[in-house]
Amino acid sequence: MTVTAQILGIIGMALNILSFQFKSKKNILLGQLLGSVAFVANMFMLGAIMGGILNIIGIARAAVYMDKERLKISPKALNLLFVIVYLVSYVLVFTVFGKTPNATNLLVEFIPIIGMTVMTFGFSGKSARTVRLCSFINSPCWLVYNCINLSIGGILCEIFSIVSSVSAFIRLDLKGKAEKKEA
């Protein structure tokens, strides 16, 4: 566990946490993209290969969903494509990267895929609210994975992301909805 890896994780944490406070979905995605860049290095330096690979895919996913209207690709097709890429990555971790496929590893390496899949569907939604709601599944999955791999930045990121998402959900979604009804 190197200091550099942990510093990169803390930088990724700061970017990811801030992203949920943005009002627009595009800015949330930009924050997530930048956070993923830092977490790629963090995960690989800690030997968490699945986490590193998924963060690389997360960079591509954020870039694609930031500009999906211009790409003219169906959200359903994009979702399917990313889920397939996650599953292929899962297989690669045990074949190409040599992770031992025992019961524990099979489960541990699959947990972040659940989070990534849910968040992918959130990113394909129409609102920032949907992204925030999906983070309520994504963050606990990554929290477990980060605890197992001892990523301090990752652990703090998911704890703060949960708090930040709840805060933004209350501030932007619940209160905003109540204010619209009153007007």
Side-chain angles (χ1 to χ4, degrees):
M1 176 162 69
T2 70
V3 172
T4 305
Q6 298 303 343
I7 290 170
L8 288 167
I10 290 169
I11 291 169
M13 169 199 70
L15 292 166
N16 281 0
I17 290 167
L18 290 174
S19 74
F20 288 110
Q21 294 304 315
F22 296 127
K23 217 170 189 178
S24 80
K25 184 175 142 188
K26 190 169 187 168
N27 286 337
I28 291 173
L29 290 167
L30 178 61
Q32 292 286 307
L33 184 149
L34 295 173
S36 291
V37 170
F39 276 119
V40 166
N42 169 259
M43 290 288 150
F44 281 128
M45 291 173 86
L46 294 175
I49 303 300
M50 187 82 247
I53 292 169
L54 289 176
N55 275 286
I56 290 170
I57 298 166
I59 293 166
R61 179 186 69 184
V64 165
Y65 282 115
M66 281 174 59
D67 216 12
K68 76 175 181 180
E69 288 78 25
R70 195 181 76 177
L71 295 173
K72 295 181 171 92
I73 299 173
S74 151
K76 288 180 182 178
L78 281 174
N79 290 348
L80 179 61
L81 173 67
F82 281 113
V83 170
I84 289 169
V85 171
Y86 301 147
L87 295 174
V88 167
S89 298
Y90 180 74
V91 171
L92 291 176
V93 165
F94 296 103
T95 56
V96 174
F97 294 102
K99 186 90 173 184
T100 305
N102 60 39
T104 301
N105 288 343
L106 289 167
L107 177 62
V108 166
E109 303 303 324
F110 196 73
I111 291 170
I113 291 174
I114 295 167
M116 291 292 282
T117 299
V118 170
M119 205 63 177
T120 296
F121 284 94
F123 287 160
S124 70
K126 293 186 174 149
S127 70
R129 179 180 190 262
T130 302
V131 175
R132 283 188 283 275
L133 288 172
C134 289
S135 74
F136 294 140
I137 295 171
N138 179 60
S139 287
C141 289
W142 276 101
L143 179 60
V144 169
Y145 186 78
N146 290 327
C147 285
I148 291 167
N149 287 286
L150 301 175
S151 171
I152 295 167
I155 292 166
L156 293 172
C157 178
E158 299 312 333
I159 291 169
F160 287 122
S161 289
I162 292 167
V163 171
S164 180
S165 294
V166 168
S167 165
F169 182 76
I170 291 168
R171 183 173 59 86
L172 299 171
D173 300 322
L174 294 182
K175 284 186 179 177
K177 205 175 197 179
E179 289 171 4
K180 283 182 185 176
K181 283 184 182 179
E182 290 175 9

